[in-house]
Amino acid sequence: MFKKLCSVVLSALLLQAAAIPAFAAPSAEKEAKRAEKVRTQLAKLGTGSDARIKLILRDKTKLEGFVSEAGASTFAVTDGAGKTTTVEYGQVSKARGNNLSTGAKIAIGIGIGAGVTLLIIFLYIASQD
């Protein structure tokens, strides 16, 4: 009876020990996924002075500026003073970009135009009374 109990407990422990590494992703794989996510975000943002970005790197360094260049493994951020810093995608902890798409810019322009038109119509009607 004791041998069977020991065998069952030992088998359960061995199965558990074998299952834990299967569920835990290696850190290199996690870093590669994070780098790919940052690369995708920057591809959507684009490059140039309109591609504003705020970064927090893994060493807690903060960068703010625009993406001046984007390569396969690194990208360059230029701040307001013109200083360019090259950053690897894997170094980025958080990235926040500010760049409106062309459709969003057109929608904002149409909204402003409609607002001004309605204001002119309202002032014209109010002046007629």
Side-chain angles (χ1 to χ4, degrees):
M1 176 72 177
F2 181 72
K3 288 182 181 180
K4 287 183 181 181
L5 181 65
C6 287
S7 297
V8 170
V9 170
L10 184 60
S11 297
L13 288 173
L14 287 174
L15 285 174
Q16 182 182 8
I20 290 174
F23 291 118
S27 62
E29 186 177 322
K30 286 182 182 179
E31 288 180 24
K33 285 182 182 180
R34 179 183 294 141
E36 186 61 34
K37 183 178 177 183
V38 171
R39 186 178 296 116
T40 304
Q41 288 176 339
L42 288 177
K44 288 180 186 177
L45 189 63
T47 58
S49 61
D50 290 338
R52 305 290 303 166
I53 192 165
K54 292 181 183 179
L55 298 173
I56 299 176
L57 303 181
R58 297 179 85 194
D59 63 357
K60 306 298 182 208
T61 305
K62 294 181 181 181
L63 294 174
E64 186 174 346
F66 65 90
V67 180
S68 57
E69 181 180 327
S73 61
T74 61
F75 63 98
V77 177
T78 304
D79 62 7
K83 179 184 173 195
T84 302
T85 306
T86 302
V87 181
E88 291 183 15
Y89 291 109
Q91 291 179 335
V92 177
S93 176
K94 290 184 182 179
R96 293 182 56 189
N98 294 335
N99 189 9
L100 295 176
S101 66
T102 304
K105 290 178 185 178
I106 291 171
I108 290 171
I110 290 172
I112 290 171
V116 169
T117 303
L118 289 175
L119 179 65
I120 291 172
I121 292 171
F122 175 74
L123 292 175
Y124 177 75
I125 292 173
S127 68
Q128 295 298 319
D129 291 336

